[in-house]
Amino acid sequence: MTTTVPALGTRTADGSALQAVLLDMDGTLVDTEGFWWDVEVEVFASLGHTLDESWRHVVVGGPMSRSAGFLIEATGADITLAELTVLLNQGFEDRIDRALPLMPGAARLLAELAAHEVPTALVSASHRRIIDRVLATLGPQHFALTVAGDEVPRTKPHPDPYLLAAAGLGADPARCAVIEDTATGVAAAEAAGCRVVVVPSVAPIAPAARRTVVTSLEEVDLPFLRGLMTEMR
């Protein structure tokens, strides 16, 4: 976990029950979920293997160890997990160096949260080296802390990353709004006891208790997030 600015306290300026906002990165703030799959396809092609499109839903949103491990087993490729991890991270970095598009509404939402001094964290299954590259575009000043997938013993779909982020902000997980795009991330946030907003990126996700599904971040603003906490009372 890396703290980029001091934690801002546990309550928003107007005393709202919303104590913090925790955001996923790939596919939620930056339009990169497709980048990972494209890199996986290219790397395995260089190894002489073709990836089945149906596997995309298996690997999306997960930690590198799980996704890469699955693809090695599924293809029988002659490569170790450590070797594949290096190739995938390098391929992804090359892509984001060329272009790193933000998801619609992401810049506006981050600016709004910062303007109202809402404690905000970036919580990603991506490795620290990737997060730090992406932060240069997102703006590190927008996050009181960041949690990377290679900094926790168990990353998503386990609750650990979101529990760590909430604790780092001094917030009750039940009063945190998490914004996610994949079933893996949603599972992690819900296991942590957070209220979840889902903006599905690759596969559809159904609404459920403590889970609200929207089509775009453009539908999400601070009053919307505060309203989620009001519904819990």
Side-chain angles (χ1 to χ4, degrees), residues 88-99:
L88 293 178
N89 274 326
Q90 185 58 59
F92 185 80
E93 288 180 31
D94 290 344
R95 282 183 175 266
I96 63 176
D97 282 346
R98 295 196 297 268

Side-chain angles (χ1 to χ4, degrees), residues 62-87:
M64 178 76 73
S65 58
R66 188 197 75 182
S67 300
F70 169 83
L71 292 174
I72 290 174
E73 182 176 352
T75 60
D78 184 18
I79 190 170
T80 67
L81 180 60
E83 291 169 339
L84 180 57
T85 296
V86 171
L87 292 177

Side-chain angles (χ1 to χ4, degrees), residues 124-197:
S124 176
S126 289
H127 289 185
R128 169 56 56 188
R129 59 185 283 186
I130 298 295
I131 288 181
D132 287 345
R133 297 285 278 271
V134 174
L135 277 172
T137 295
L138 288 176
Q141 72 277 8
H142 290 120
F143 305 99
L145 60 87
T146 60
V147 178
D150 56 341
E151 295 175 338
V152 289
R154 302 187 308 170
T155 188
K156 303 173 186 179
H158 299 288
D160 307 35
Y162 282 115
L163 291 174
L164 181 63
L169 294 175
D172 176 358
R175 295 297 177 184
C176 293
V178 168
I179 305 179
E180 272 282 359
D181 71 304
T182 67
T184 298
V186 169
E190 291 182 340
C194 303
R195 189 68 163 81
V196 187
V197 178

Side-chain angles (χ1 to χ4, degrees), residues 197-210:
V197 178
V198 191
V199 191
S201 62
V202 175
I205 299 174
R210 299 180 61 82

